[in-house]
Amino acid sequence: QVQLVESGGGLVQAGGSLRLSCAASGRTFSTGAMGWFRQAPGKERNFVARITWSAGTTYYADSVKGRFIISRDITKNTVYLQMNSLKPEDTAVYYCARRSRIYTGGNLNANADYDYWGQGTQVTVSS
């Protein structure tokens, strides 16, 4: 079993920055990729960014490209999401996700591409 614990959410003004962290524990020896998704009230959970665990290749949703940066620390089994130039429309619960299956290509931007999920952390951006 794998546990994912997110931290770093909070309230920030538009234009500000936040850094989210997600630490994985348990059976972490097999990780294909890790990603971040977000869910605003009344909306579906949508892809934000992902990073492949071995090569560190990244992919972003168009809505955050150029503002958010995903990174990982393999030694700590931790993935980060640096969020800059935040906008009110970035307000959501942010979820960390982990893919156990080997990465064989593709964007990995669907919920079904991931096997484990964190409990979520709230990010609120005020105007």
Side-chain angles (χ1 to χ4, degrees):
Q1 196 58 279
V2 173
Q3 294 80 42
L4 302 175
V5 179
E6 300 104 332
S7 61
L11 173 64
V12 64
Q13 288 188 332
S17 298
L18 281 175
R19 188 193 195 206
L20 305 183
S21 299
C22 173
S25 61
R27 296 172 62 87
T28 59
F29 54 85
S30 175
T31 302
M34 291 190 73
W36 289 95
F37 287 69
R38 66 187 182 185
Q39 187 170 22
K43 296 188 177 181
E44 296 181 345
R45 186 165 61 188
N46 291 322
F47 171 79
V48 175
R50 65 85 171 147
I51 186 165
T52 60
W53 206 242
S54 178
T57 58
T58 59
Y59 181 73
Y60 297 90
D62 287 343
S63 59
V64 306
K65 200 173 298 182
R67 300 188 298 123
F68 291 11
I69 301 172
I70 187 170
S71 62
R72 81 218 189 288
D73 186 331
I74 294 176
T75 63
K76 296 181 179 179
N77 285 314
T78 300
V79 65
Y80 305 95
L81 186 67
Q82 177 66 44
M83 305 185 294
N84 302 318
S85 302
L86 282 162
K87 305 175 181 179
E89 51 263 44
D90 294 318
T91 294
V93 176
Y94 283 70
Y95 295 92
C96 171
R98 177 178 172 273
R99 174 185 174 91
S100 298
R101 292 159 281 166
I102 294 173
Y103 175 64
T104 57
N107 295 330
L108 298 184
N109 58 348
N111 286 266
D113 289 323
Y114 298 85
D115 306 301
Y116 298 95
W117 295 84
Q119 82 288 350
T121 185
Q122 176 70 47
V123 171
T124 303
V125 184
S126 62
S127 57

